[in-house]
């Protein structure tokens, strides 16, 4: 054999704990809202390549004879996540608050409008660091007394140039293991802010023909 790869190995451990809150408002006055918030922590000593959870970056086991030293935040750890869905039936057209007396072509034009949105706010994933150590491990060392986290109030160009404090990490001596954990939770990748918005119109043209515009 030239190379052997093990996928979805059965070794290792994982621990996920979370508090989940959900608020739902049933459709009243044409408005419905569903909000879900999760605060969590996910620890493991199994890297993404072997757990195959499809999360963040892939770390590499540094020392298979010391799995306790591999325990850290999972690459897919997301400490906070908020998702809000809403659907609003717009008050236009016959029987509605606006243009309620409309009829004919005008009624067909203004009736059946609705808007919906999905908002996602999510923490960034932990970063994974590696180091080319001769005859040793594969992770760097912490530099004592140096904080790897930089101010979040910096300008965008400054964040692009240096996302974290690179002076906080150093290359270990040859034939040693680095002391940085498998993933680094103090500094994380960018958080996720996403909004999907849709505007929809349904029109009953004739008895058996309904047209939808989105």
């Amino acid at each position: 054999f030239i190379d052997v790869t093990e996928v979805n190995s059965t070794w290792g451990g994982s621990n996920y704990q979370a508090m989940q809150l959900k608020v739902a408002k049933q459709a009243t006055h044409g408005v419905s809202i569903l909000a879900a918030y999760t605060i969590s922590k996910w620890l493991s000593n199994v890297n993404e390549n072997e757990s195959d959870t499809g999360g963040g970056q892939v770390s590499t086991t540094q020392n298979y004879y010391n799995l306790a030293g591999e325990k850290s935040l999972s690459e897919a750890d997301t400490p906070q996540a908020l998702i809000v869905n809403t659907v609003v039936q717009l008050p236009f057209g016959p029987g509605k608050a606006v243009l309620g007396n409309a009829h004919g072509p005008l009624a067909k034009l203004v009736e059946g409008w609705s808007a919906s949105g999905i908002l996602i706010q999510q923490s960034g994933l932990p970063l994974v660091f590696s180091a080319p150590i001769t005859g040793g491990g594969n992770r760097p060392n912490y530099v004592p007394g140096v904080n790897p986290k930089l101010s979040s109030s910096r300008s965008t160009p400054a964040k692009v140039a240096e996302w974290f404090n690179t002076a906080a990490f150093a290359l270990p001596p040859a034939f040693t293991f680095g002391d940085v954990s498998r993933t680094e939770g103090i500094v994380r990748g960018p958080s996720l802010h996403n909004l999907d918005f849709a505007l929809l119109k349904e029109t009953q043209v004739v008895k058996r023909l309904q047209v939808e515009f989105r």
Side-chain angles (χ1 to χ4, degrees), residues 9-37:
S9 169
T10 56
W11 66 270
S14 178
N15 184 295
Y16 176 81
Q17 299 184 31
M19 178 185 71
Q20 299 175 332
L21 301 174
K22 183 174 74 172
V23 177
K25 177 185 180 299
Q26 301 298 328
T28 54
H29 305 291
V31 179
S32 63
I33 299 175
L34 174 63
Y37 173 72

Side-chain angles (χ1 to χ4, degrees), residues 46-66:
V46 180
N47 62 58
E48 283 290 293
N49 189 46
E50 283 155 341
S51 63
D52 195 25
T53 59
Q57 306 173 80
V58 177
S59 65
T60 304
T61 302
Q62 180 170 240
N63 184 2
Y64 283 93
Y65 296 98
N66 180 25

Side-chain angles (χ1 to χ4, degrees), residues 7 21 57-59 66-67 73-74 89 115 118 123 129 134 136 176 183 187 194 198:
V7 179
L21 301 174
Q57 306 173 80
V58 177
S59 65
N66 180 25
L67 291 185
L73 294 172
S74 167
Q89 303 293 332
I118 302 176
S123 302
F129 296 101
T134 302
T176 65
T183 63
V187 286
N194 188 79

Side-chain angles (χ1 to χ4, degrees), residues 132-137 173-177:
I133 307 172
T134 302
F175 305 103
T176 65
F177 292 115

Side-chain angles (χ1 to χ4, degrees), residues 149-155 159 163:
K149 189 173 183 179
L150 296 175
S151 172
S152 60
S153 62
R154 296 175 299 140
S155 66
K159 293 178 180 178
W163 182 253

Side-chain angles (χ1 to χ4, degrees), residues 73-155:
L73 294 172
S74 167
E75 294 92 331
D77 176 67
T78 306
Q80 296 191 72
L82 171 68
I83 301 177
V84 181
N85 303 300
T86 183
V87 177
V88 179
Q89 303 293 332
L90 301 182
F92 306 131
K96 300 295 180 66
V98 181
L99 298 173
N101 296 322
H103 60 277
L106 177 60
K108 296 294 184 182
L109 179 64
V110 299
E111 70 181 359
W113 286 95
S114 64
S116 64
I118 302 176
L119 173 67
I120 300 176
Q121 302 271 30
Q122 186 172 293
S123 302
L125 299 173
L127 295 184
V128 173
F129 296 101
S130 62
I133 307 172
T134 302
N138 51 38
R139 297 201 285 266
N141 279 340
Y142 289 112
V143 175
V146 181
N147 188 353
K149 189 173 183 179
L150 296 175
S151 172
S152 60
S153 62
R154 296 175 299 140
S155 66

